[in-house]
Amino acid sequence: MKKGLAEASDQEKQRKGQALVEKLRTIPGAEFYPPLNALLNSVPEDVADVVCWPDEVANALSDAEVMTHELILNGKRLLQGDETSIKVIFNNLTGLNFTPERRPHGEPDEHELYLADMAHAWGVSEWRGDILLQAFGGEVMKTHNFC
């Protein structure tokens, strides 16, 4: 039977803490995810003192593992999330997912309504300039220019 953290020895807790710190430090873009970055900055260089990790560490880790991509409009981050979701939202914003080929039963003004809703949600005054889909670390995967 597997022991829970409460029943684990201090040595086991220390080993699990060290493994977690190593995993946290290998997440791409961890420095861009504020809760995880704060945790990493609070970890002592020598993690030998780490005995027990609170739940927020595990939660930040699971959230950060999916926070790998972001949407940037004219240099301002609009959204961050997992690769699939961010790609879908990018394709929605650019209108690709509203084309008749992808949405044969859609209404003609659906894309404009979607843009208006997203502008309101993100505080965007107008859709102008460049939007980037990029991975954390700066690799630009797709761009679109709103004319």
Side-chain angles (χ1 to χ4, degrees):
M1 185 164 87
K2 190 175 179 181
K3 283 194 229 179
L5 193 57
E7 295 126 6
S9 70
D10 284 352
Q11 194 172 31
E12 287 174 291
K13 289 177 185 178
Q14 181 180 334
R15 187 177 43 76
K16 287 181 181 187
Q18 289 171 331
L20 181 57
V21 168
E22 289 309 308
K23 188 170 184 180
L24 289 170
R25 288 191 172 133
T26 63
I27 295 173
E31 67 274 17
F32 299 110
Y33 184 60
L36 184 56
N37 193 28
L39 285 170
L40 287 173
N41 287 332
S42 69
V43 173
E45 285 301 315
D46 177 14
V47 292
D49 296 333
V50 175
V51 174
C52 185
W53 288 90
D55 288 339
E56 56 266 17
V57 174
N59 292 339
L61 175 61
S62 63
D63 288 348
E65 286 177 323
V66 299
M67 297 289 195
T68 58
H69 289 73
E70 58 192 343
L71 293 175
I72 309 289
L73 178 66
N74 301 322
K76 177 186 172 198
R77 180 186 298 144
L78 295 179
L79 186 66
Q80 57 189 21
D82 66 281
E83 182 177 3
T84 301
S85 299
I86 296 298
K87 282 182 176 179
V88 168
I89 295 168
F90 178 87
N91 290 339
N92 287 348
L93 291 170
T94 63
L96 182 63
N97 286 341
F98 290 91
T99 61
E101 297 80 28
R102 293 204 178 186
R103 200 172 173 89
H105 304 293
E107 298 294 322
D109 61 347
E110 276 185 313
H111 183 238
E112 289 77 22
L113 292 171
Y114 178 82
L115 287 176
D117 285 344
M118 294 300 99
H120 177 73
W122 292 328
V124 173
S125 58
E126 64 179 337
W127 293 104
R128 285 260 188 244
D130 295 318
I131 188 162
L132 309 175
L133 171 104
Q134 71 181 33
F136 283 165
E139 177 194 351
V140 176
M141 301 174 72
K142 292 183 178 182
T143 63
H144 175 78
N145 182 270
F146 292 104
C147 298

